[in-house]
Amino acid sequence: MMYKCKHKLQYQLQQAGVFSLLVAGMGVQAAPPETDFYSLSLAELGQVQIAIATGNNTSLEHAPASASVISAAEIESMGARTLDEVIGSLAGFHVTPSALSRMDILYSVRGIHTGFNSQVLLLMNGVPVQFSLQGGRPTLFRFPVSSIDRIEVIRGPGSAVYGADAYAAVINVITKTASALEKTTVGARAGSFGGRDVWLQGASEWQGWDIALNMAYSESSGDKGRRINRDLQTSLDELFGTQASHAPGALSTRYQLLDTHLSVTGQQLRINLWNWQSQDAGLGAGGSQVLDPDGSNDGDLWMADATYDFDPESSQWQNSLRLSHMTFAETVNYHLLPAGSLAPIGADGNLSLTPNAELVYFADGLIGQPGGRAHDSQMDFISLFTGWQAHRLRFAVGMREQRLTTSERKNFGPGVSNPGGPLVDVSDTAFVYLPDSQRRIGYLSLQDEWQLSPELQFTLGARYDDYSDVGSRVNPRMALVWSNSEKLTSKLLYGSAFRAPSFAELRFQNNPVTLGNSQLKPELIDTLELSFNYLLNTQWQTTVTLFSYQARDMIEFVTRPDETLVGKQANNVLDVDGDGFEWEVLWKPSSQLHMSGSYSTQRAQDVRTHHRVADAPGEQIKIMLDWEFAPEWFLNQQLQWVSDRVRALGDARPAIADYTLVGLSLRRHNLWRNVDVSLAARNLFDEDARAPSSGEIAEDYPLEGRSLWLQVNYQFD
């Protein structure tokens, strides 16, 4: 199976590569690349324009949000391979595997996260990237960085502009257009764990249209050193006298993916086409905390969006219409219990701990093959009005439809008359894991950026969202930005946000691991922030952000109270109060030396139990140094310290150990003509770092060990 998947992706890579070279040779040279952030002074960095904070272009210094921008040059300097590695470098973010969903990556922000991580909204060129089944990013979403031009991030709520799921943070990935691609580029990277990456980029102009193509292929066998000694099946083996467990064994973290972007830009029309394919991805610790080396996850995402600008920029009115559609198809092959296992099965065919449960032998394992195809269509009309002095009004209205169709084959559970026997297709029956689902969303938003004086700006806005299945919600925001002096900028920020329950949280059924709950309420949060940005001199800049939030009705999958029932059910179980601060420092003594650092601390606790939120770091330190120590030679050093993570209430396991990870990247530009070479190391000192597990795997999940990577880039003349 792995050979076939690999062959298919490599064939698609070859076809796309030929097309890329054709695009690159179509005509005149593309426009020059955008400004390199490393070439800017600290004062100039504050004037970099971002759109994520308000939906309009605003300078980073005066943006009414706790915002960050990461450029392609910064991504290159740190030697990052994936979006996850870049986000992990930001203050206030902690990137860690989920203990609920196949070790899928979570972005914990200021202590806010749940198993499916739906509280962070990911945008691709401004369009939401969400799998409506679980509400967050597509499952096992690994995104290569080669196509990224820049990343804009806000910490804190963004529902007043972006609606549901812009709860704890919003991330907008902006891909490279023709203006960012000076020449056709090919690159390759090889390294530890059987890792190989290749990419192609090209741009051209054709009859007034700028065309750019970015594509990348990545694969890895996974770190076989990430081993665990016991899993849930180990305990079942001891109970029933079987020997089915694959433990001791390695977590399954292999993957293959192909990522392709096509951008077409005219004077008033912009079109983006995107395909992301992941095949034969490993399931981490398995679907039920049982090692599953033969299990796999396939995903196929297609997205198209088109934006038309009606009016010239000189007009008082600037109107635009955006249409977008995303399709994401996923199929999972679970071995929830391995071949040769015994399991207590109830009358409905599911796992059960009732006295009447019967032990059933699963010669091929307890197998489930759920699938789903999600369709997400959206229309947005946005109007900007600048005809009133000192005001910039933004009006937006739109509608969205999410549809999910499901399929499933399994050898257990409702609809299977012979548990442990051949697989039975229960698609389009009442026995499938989730019924076909649909929701419609309409919204209306209004925002005013009011320049009260040359030094003082007030932003006021609100958005109304109406869901066909979970009701409506209004989310306001207010921000006061005061340029106290040329050196000091202060921000007082308030925002509210919400997250609608996902289809899985509402409607999971016939499932031995997780069940939905139709009575769920949306998650709500109110956040207050106070931020100070101070430019000490031309070399030093510091930012301090204090925050406090109240999150209510957060949804988690929790063990059901009836001890005879197996699995977990979604419930509004968490009310969280959190506070803390983030301290960021930039030092740029010369154009050849740049250092950034941050210290983050948070105290988020359950209102009912006064216990701290489990697994989120209470403290983090992140440091990055980039140094051009000789002409065309660059050295980048990174350090990340993660500390003060607590267990869940009632978990008696030993405390979670702190860890420190060190990374190093050495780059040489133009080692030969048009050839750049770099060598990177991750977890340089091979730290035994661990991410918290849910308990069935008691020793926690080991993170990747030391890895080395060699990269070569070539630019065509």
Side-chain angles (χ1 to χ4, degrees), residues 205-209:
E205 187 271 343
W206 179 71
Q207 296 186 2
W209 295 89

Side-chain angles (χ1 to χ4, degrees), residues 182-252:
E182 185 177 18
K183 299 178 180 179
T184 299
T185 302
V186 297
R189 182 191 297 114
S192 302
F193 321 134
R196 289 175 289 273
D197 309 324
V198 293
W199 56 93
L200 292 163
Q201 299 173 342
S204 188
E205 187 271 343
W206 179 71
Q207 296 186 2
W209 295 89
D210 292 329
I211 303 173
L213 180 69
N214 299 275
M215 58 91 58
Y217 171 80
S218 299
E219 67 177 23
S220 173
S221 301
D223 182 359
K224 304 301 184 184
R226 300 174 70 178
R227 296 177 61 83
I228 61 169
N229 294 310
R230 295 175 59 90
D231 63 0
L232 176 60
Q233 183 60 43
T234 305
S235 301
L236 295 177
D237 285 345
E238 294 170 350
L239 181 63
F240 299 127
T242 52
Q243 295 182 335
S245 176
H246 292 287
L251 300 169
S252 181

Side-chain angles (χ1 to χ4, degrees), residues 344-352 357 410 412-414 419 509-513 515:
I345 299 297
D348 64 351
N350 256 332
L351 294 174
S352 175
K410 59 185 178 180
F412 68 93
Q509 63 185 16
N510 304 319
N511 191 320
V513 179
L515 287 175

Side-chain angles (χ1 to χ4, degrees), residues 36-240:
D36 179 357
F37 284 15
Y38 277 124
S39 68
L40 301 179
S41 68
L42 293 181
E44 290 170 333
L45 281 172
Q47 300 308 308
V48 168
Q49 297 291 299
I50 65 170
I52 192 173
T54 63
N56 311 319
N57 283 329
T58 308
S59 69
L60 181 62
E61 179 181 357
H62 296 100
S66 298
S68 303
V69 181
I70 308 101
S71 68
E74 292 172 294
I75 294 171
E76 179 191 19
S77 73
M78 67 177 70
R81 300 175 59 234
T82 66
L83 175 65
D84 297 336
E85 293 177 357
V86 179
I87 297 302
S89 69
L90 296 174
F93 279 80
H94 176 56
V95 176
T96 186
S98 168
L100 175 66
S101 177
R102 287 159 270 181
M103 290 179 58
D104 207 357
I105 292 299
L106 300 181
Y107 297 161
S108 179
V109 185
R110 297 173 169 176
I112 299 173
H113 65 261
T114 53
F116 285 131
N117 201 209
S118 306
Q119 292 82 13
V120 176
L121 178 62
L122 175 66
L123 307 172
M124 188 67 59
N125 298 308
V127 179
V129 183
Q130 292 177 286
F131 184 21
S132 57
L133 173 67
Q134 59 197 39
R137 301 178 299 281
T139 315
L140 300 178
F141 183 73
R142 297 175 176 90
F143 188 76
V145 300
S146 57
S147 64
I148 298 176
D149 183 44
R150 55 193 267 161
I151 304 170
E152 298 180 355
V153 180
I154 57 171
R155 301 185 299 274
S159 286
V161 176
Y162 300 104
D165 304 319
Y167 189 91
V170 183
I171 301 168
N172 188 24
V173 175
I174 301 168
T175 55
K176 294 175 180 175
T177 61
S179 64
L181 295 172
E182 185 177 18
K183 299 178 180 179
T184 299
T185 302
V186 297
R189 182 191 297 114
S192 302
F193 321 134
R196 289 175 289 273
D197 309 324
V198 293
W199 56 93
L200 292 163
Q201 299 173 342
S204 188
E205 187 271 343
W206 179 71
Q207 296 186 2
W209 295 89
D210 292 329
I211 303 173
L213 180 69
N214 299 275
M215 58 91 58
Y217 171 80
S218 299
E219 67 177 23
S220 173
S221 301
D223 182 359
K224 304 301 184 184
R226 300 174 70 178
R227 296 177 61 83
I228 61 169
N229 294 310
R230 295 175 59 90
D231 63 0
L232 176 60
Q233 183 60 43
T234 305
S235 301
L236 295 177
D237 285 345
E238 294 170 350
L239 181 63
F240 299 127

Side-chain angles (χ1 to χ4, degrees), residues 5 71 173 220 249 373 407 416 481 485 583:
C5 294
S71 68
V173 175
S220 173
R373 180 177 292 273
S407 62
V416 177
V481 180
S485 66
W583 177 34

